[in-house]
Amino acid sequence: MKTGSYLGAVVIGSLLLPVCQQTAAQGGDSAGRMGADDLSGVVRSANGPEAGVWVIAETNGLPTRFTKIVVTDDRGRYLIPELPKANYSVWVRGYGLVDSPKIQATPGRTLNLTAIVAPNAAAAAEYYPAIYWYSMLKVPAKNEFPVGKAVNQGQWLDTVKTDGCYTCHQLGNKATRTISKELGHFNSSTEAWARRISSGQAMTNMTNNIGRFDAERMLGLFGDWTDRIAAGELPASRPERPQGVERNVVISLWDWARPTAYLHDEIATDKRNPTVNAYGKLYGATEESTDFVPVLDPVRHTATEIRIPVRDPKTPSTKNNPMAPSPYWGEERIWDSQTSPHNPMFDEKGRVWFTSRVRPAANPAFCGKGSDHPSAKYFPVERSNRQLSMLDPNTGKMTLIDTCFQTHHLQFGFDANNTLWASSGGAASEVLGWLNVKMFEQTGDEQKSQGWTPFILDTNGNGKRDDYVGPNDPIDPAKDKRIVAGFYGIAPSPVDGSIWGSVLGYPGYVIRVNPGSSPPETALTEVFEPPFPGYSPRGMDIDRSGVVWAPLASGHFASFDRRKCKGPLNGPTATGKHCPEGWTLYPFPGPQLANVTDSGSAEASYYSWVDQHNTFGLGNDVPIATGNANDALLAFKDGKFIILRVPYPMGFYAKGLDGRIDDAGAGWKGRALWSTYATRAPFHVEGGKGAKSKVVKFQLRPDPLAR
């Protein structure tokens, strides 16, 4: 791994560093490019110009807190473009450094900055992304398995990564690698961890996840991890400073939402046409935390809220979730959400669709047995924990839509009906659901406009759907077979209209559903299992050629290309393992967990998104993973990862992203990726209690000094 010259000079350079003040002076070439609303200059330390470090400008002088971040070039020069008029605090952050003093400045100045070399390795490590600390966790070695109910190391890792501990928040940041004194006094760190995971209203999720295999062993390993860190142990590897095109990134951040709210994700535009809602407002989804979802106007720098309602006032709220007191909030119940808005999507008309609860879980009669609904006739559904809502920003009207099927993530199809396809979230869900948006607009009939289908494999190989055996029954050569494979991620294919999804768990799957002419009765499913050392996909997306991209809990970014399959895609052997040749596994950046010898990384990316329309500037069909352990988005281009790191505030943890083209003729300024801080614990982010989620805008200019 390249380390850069700053690492060897961490200690020596700090001893030589004079006490310097930042100066307003000529900044070289960057000053020549500077406009009236820019800041530019050169960053130097005792070691000379500092390349690949971040210059951060932040203000509270706008309606919501605003921050802009750029990277220095190979000569230490920087240029922060297009800062709104305000007073800013400006400072330097970088690997091998500690933060420089914050200097007050206004746009239009040339501001040379003095970087502060870290006095020792421990001080430098405080700025490392979470993955470097989390990689110190010692998991059981392969030869120790089975351990409890875990049959192998991969199944164990799935729990301490994407499908368990990492599902909701980052591990390895300052808040999680230390034990707060406010938690109480304990006889051991194992006891402290048992109490820690009971804190707050996510208690049930956390205790259930860590108890899936051998809770005592797992808690002991986490206790050992925090004990070693408390004793002064440091990460074995160090991050590399931004290189190449990574230095061209401009990051803008806005505060939104409440300190007690968390975001699941955001939406800026229609994935099928990213020019929709140009320069418009962004909308968030606050899931279990609140019914008040945030709205950001990035042009006016304002953050507001809208409330998503329910139909039935008896809809349960997360306010009543079991909990133990939190070291941050004590006994205060900070979550209170009936609607649990999870995933927003724009349509072609600029309306925003949400997955949200509108009622209690028991389904109405038209969903169940005895109903004449076309889908219920083939497969009745008794419960759904989340349904649909739609906001028209032009009128402010919110429309609630009751669905028999459960909703989790949404994607619009490419068909004439603008079909809205919904994943269900958990692997135990039995159906794939959809809403015919065109029909709903024409009739207003939510029952007639929706449908769903179970997952049926064509195991008899005749190319059509027939009678089938159940999930727990052996394959019958004369029949098809139903499987339980609820979608988590979901993506309609632009190539053939098939619907793809990911299935959680170990080893997990990606699934293809061909709806056929009448989906409730004709839809057929294909299932594909990642080959070892890959396992356990979470979110996924698809490119314009029909190639699926999914992050795996094994620490790989996986592509699956169905066109590469050599054997039959139906019949009695087409049950998951029949196309290993369709998969390609790319190890994520960052170190591997201790005691893990297989390829991969400690990275546990939550979701992926494919830039089908070059909204960022790297080209069409570039897949991007949410680098949840890396404080980054991870773009994969020409066989290499480009790390779009967010250095401040530490703890960037995305669950989704999208890209928008505001002005195709404006070059890099008219294109951007958008995401948000989506941890369930915003108080774990740098700044602690009171920190708010942030909208994050990524832009890619042609060089580090372009304006």
Side-chain angles (χ1 to χ4, degrees), residues 203-214:
M203 176 180 77
T204 300
N205 281 348
M206 291 193 288
T207 55
N208 285 349
N209 274 331
I210 214 161
R212 278 158 54 185
F213 299 128
D214 184 335

Side-chain angles (χ1 to χ4, degrees), residues 18-23 103 112-114:
V19 178
C20 296
Q21 294 294 321
Q22 276 71 8
T23 59
I103 304 301
N112 293 335
L113 299 169
T114 300

Side-chain angles (χ1 to χ4, degrees), residues 16-74:
L16 300 176
L17 185 67
V19 178
C20 296
Q21 294 294 321
Q22 276 71 8
T23 59
Q26 291 302 309
D29 294 346
S30 60
R33 299 191 187 193
M34 188 180 67
D37 54 359
D38 305 334
L39 275 174
S40 72
V42 179
V43 176
R44 295 182 179 88
S45 73
N47 301 321
E50 289 284 354
V53 299
W54 292 281
V55 178
I56 305 168
E58 184 172 72
T59 184
N60 288 311
L62 299 171
T64 192
R65 182 184 300 183
F66 176 73
T67 311
K68 206 157 194 175
I69 305 172
V70 298
V71 189
T72 58
D73 70 2
D74 58 358

Side-chain angles (χ1 to χ4, degrees), residues 22-182:
Q22 276 71 8
T23 59
Q26 291 302 309
D29 294 346
S30 60
R33 299 191 187 193
M34 188 180 67
D37 54 359
D38 305 334
L39 275 174
S40 72
V42 179
V43 176
R44 295 182 179 88
S45 73
N47 301 321
E50 289 284 354
V53 299
W54 292 281
V55 178
I56 305 168
E58 184 172 72
T59 184
N60 288 311
L62 299 171
T64 192
R65 182 184 300 183
F66 176 73
T67 311
K68 206 157 194 175
I69 305 172
V70 298
V71 189
T72 58
D73 70 2
D74 58 358
R75 293 164 56 186
R77 300 173 299 175
Y78 76 92
L79 188 149
I80 307 177
E82 295 190 326
L83 286 168
K85 186 177 181 180
N87 293 316
Y88 290 84
S89 296
V90 185
W91 73 99
V92 179
R93 173 170 290 184
Y95 301 136
L97 308 176
V98 297
D99 280 1
S100 67
K102 295 181 179 180
I103 304 301
Q104 300 304 303
T106 54
R109 290 185 60 187
T110 299
L111 187 67
N112 293 335
L113 299 169
T114 300
I116 310 298
V117 178
N120 51 55
E126 289 296 313
Y127 298 89
Y128 291 178
I131 190 171
Y132 290 88
W133 292 96
Y134 192 51
S135 66
M136 297 166 62
L137 179 71
K138 293 179 179 178
V139 302
K142 280 186 177 183
N143 60 9
E144 296 183 60
F145 287 89
V147 174
K149 298 178 183 178
V151 298
N152 58 39
Q153 191 184 63
Q155 192 174 29
W156 181 279
L157 288 169
D158 180 47
T159 300
V160 299
K161 295 181 74 179
T162 336
D163 287 340
C165 301
Y166 246 108
T167 300
C168 299
H169 57 83
Q170 190 183 71
L171 286 169
N173 55 28
K174 185 73 170 182
T176 56
R177 67 178 184 258
T178 57
I179 301 292
S180 169
K181 293 180 180 179
E182 284 73 19

